[in-house]
Structure formats: C-alpha cells, structure tokens
C-alpha cells in the first residue's frame, strides 16, 4: 500500500484493515454486512476490546455504536474522563455472528491475528476487556469474568496490563450491581493510565 500518512502505526493498521475488509477466513464472512475493524486513537494509552459487532455495528461498520456502546461512552466519560476518540475500540471478532450468537472458538481463532496486530501496533498500557470472550482470549484462560475483573493482569513484554470488566450488555441486563462494579473498574483503568504517566 502506498504511504499516505508517514505514521507507521496508522499505515500498519490501514494495511490490516484493508486485509480484514476482504476476509473470508471464517463463515461469518458470508453473513456480515460490514467488517467492523475498530476505530479510535492509534496511539491511545488504552484499548477497549469487546466481543463482536451487533446489528448496529454491522450496519455502520463501527464498534460499539448501539446501546452497549452508549453505556461504554458514558462509563469512559464519567469514570475514566475519556472520550471514545481518545481510546482505541475493537472486538475479538470483526464480523457479526448471526442473531448476536456467541462467536465460535474457530471464528475467534481465525480472527486472532487482526486483534493481535492491532495490539502490537497500538501498544497500549491498558487493555480493558469487556466480558468473557475478550478476557479469555487475551489472557488465554477459561476462568470467568466475575473472578478476573477489576484487577490488572500483566500481558506481554511491554508492561501492558489487561484489565477485565463486565460487558456493557451485562449491565444493561443485570442492573445496578453490575454497573457499580463496572464503574469501579473504569476508575481503576484511569488510575492505571495515570500510574503509567498518561
Ligand atoms: N458488543 C460488542 O461486544 N462489540 C460491539 O462492537 C458492540 C456490541
């Protein structure tokens, strides 16, 4: 691809996104409307990683633009003092599972190099994983989110930590208790960024 920005991170992400746009590595390619690669600040200190696009995301080609996304935006602003443009938002699978079913292990595996490439380029200090799928994928564990959430887990060679929290959809379903824990986790994310000088 021709050089357009001079910023190697932006260019590498653009190459990955172009590859993902034509991806047929798994059956989700057949039913998607749009590949939802991810968006945000390519030099963000924090990445937010969800599960996979829902209906709105599939239509718009952008992550977290439906109801879960509205709650995510609120938590980022109210607890971490961040606008969504200041973080980088992506999902474990880039194409919508039909009917919002859970992604299959083979689909997560097929999509894995896109997420790995995004993290490798952005090199965030904090990766906030939303829910079981992104947490289990990044931490390579079968442990559940309730046990793992709210604590930073060292990840990779660069001092990056994974901070798991619940998926916003769980707060929308589960109400006050889940939401209160998520608020505390977003405050923790802000503290971790501050400790890293960000
Ligand atoms: N849920 C997710 O996990 N990701 C999105 O992008 C939207 C909803």
């Amino acid at each position: 691809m021709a050089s357009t920005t001079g910023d190697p991170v932006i260019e590498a992400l653009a190459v990955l996104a172009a590859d993902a746009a034509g991806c047929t590595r798994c059956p989700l390619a057949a039913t998607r409307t749009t590949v939802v690669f991810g968006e945000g600040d390519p030099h963000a200190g924090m990445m937010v990683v969800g599960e996979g696009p829902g209906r709105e995301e599939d239509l718009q080609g952008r992550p977290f633009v439906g109801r879960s996304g509205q709650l995510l935006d609120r938590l980022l602003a109210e607890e971490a003092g961040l606008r969504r443009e200041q973080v980088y938002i992506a999902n474990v699978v880039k194409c919508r599972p039909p009917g919002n079913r859970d992604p299959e292990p083979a689909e997560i595996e097929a999509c894995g190099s896109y997420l790995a490439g995004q993290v490798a380029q952005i090199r965030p200090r904090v990766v906030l994983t939303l829910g079981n799928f992104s947490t289990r994928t990044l931490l390579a564990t079968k442990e559940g989110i309730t046990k793992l959430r709210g604590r930073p887990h060292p990840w990779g060679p660069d001092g990056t930590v994974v901070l798991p929290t619940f998926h916003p959809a769980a707060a929308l379903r589960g109400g006050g208790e889940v939401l209160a824990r998520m608020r505390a986790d977003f405050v923790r994310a802000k503290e971790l960024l501050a400790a890293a000088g960000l």
Side-chain angles (χ1 to χ4, degrees):
M1 177 179 280
S3 172
T4 48
T5 67
D7 181 324
V9 173
I10 293 177
E11 287 176 5
L13 289 172
V15 170
L16 267 181
D19 181 18
C23 181
T24 55
R25 288 181 200 169
C26 88
L28 298 182
T31 50
R32 71 176 180 233
T33 309
T34 321
V35 174
V36 182
F37 181 69
E39 68 179 26
D41 179 356
H43 299 290
M46 182 159 88
M47 263 184 89
V48 178
V49 182
E51 179 178 321
R55 185 170 171 277
E56 270 309 307
E57 290 79 16
D58 175 66
L59 292 173
Q60 295 189 36
R62 300 180 57 210
F64 282 100
V65 289
R67 282 186 69 221
S68 286
Q70 286 163 18
L71 180 54
L72 172 63
D73 290 354
R74 268 185 51 206
L75 290 168
L76 282 170
E78 291 172 12
E79 307 301 341
L82 291 166
R83 287 175 286 109
R84 65 181 277 142
E85 300 78 29
Q86 293 177 288
V87 302
Y88 191 94
I89 306 177
N91 283 302
V92 169
V93 294
K94 310 304 189 199
C95 298
R96 182 192 185 202
N100 294 350
R101 67 157 169 76
D102 291 344
E104 299 284 347
E107 294 160 355
I108 293 173
E109 167 85 24
C111 218
S113 66
Y114 294 122
L115 181 60
Q118 288 170 310
V119 181
Q121 288 302 324
I122 295 162
R123 300 179 67 194
R125 301 305 299 241
V126 178
V127 182
L128 185 69
T129 51
L130 306 178
N132 270 319
F133 284 91
S134 55
T135 302
R136 287 175 172 161
T137 300
L138 281 172
L139 293 181
T141 179
K142 289 191 178 358
E143 196 63 79
I145 188 66
T146 307
K147 267 235 168 106
L148 295 169
R149 63 153 278 277
R151 285 181 289 124
H153 302 261
W155 190 89
D158 291 335
T160 300
V161 296
V162 167
L163 179 67
T165 190
F166 293 111
H167 194 285
L172 291 171
R173 280 194 308 270
E177 182 72 11
V178 175
L179 186 58
R181 289 184 189 175
M182 286 187 81
R183 286 192 181 281
D185 297 344
F186 278 68
V187 170
R188 189 85 182 95
K190 179 171 71 175
E191 290 168 355
L192 289 166
L193 287 171
L198 300 172

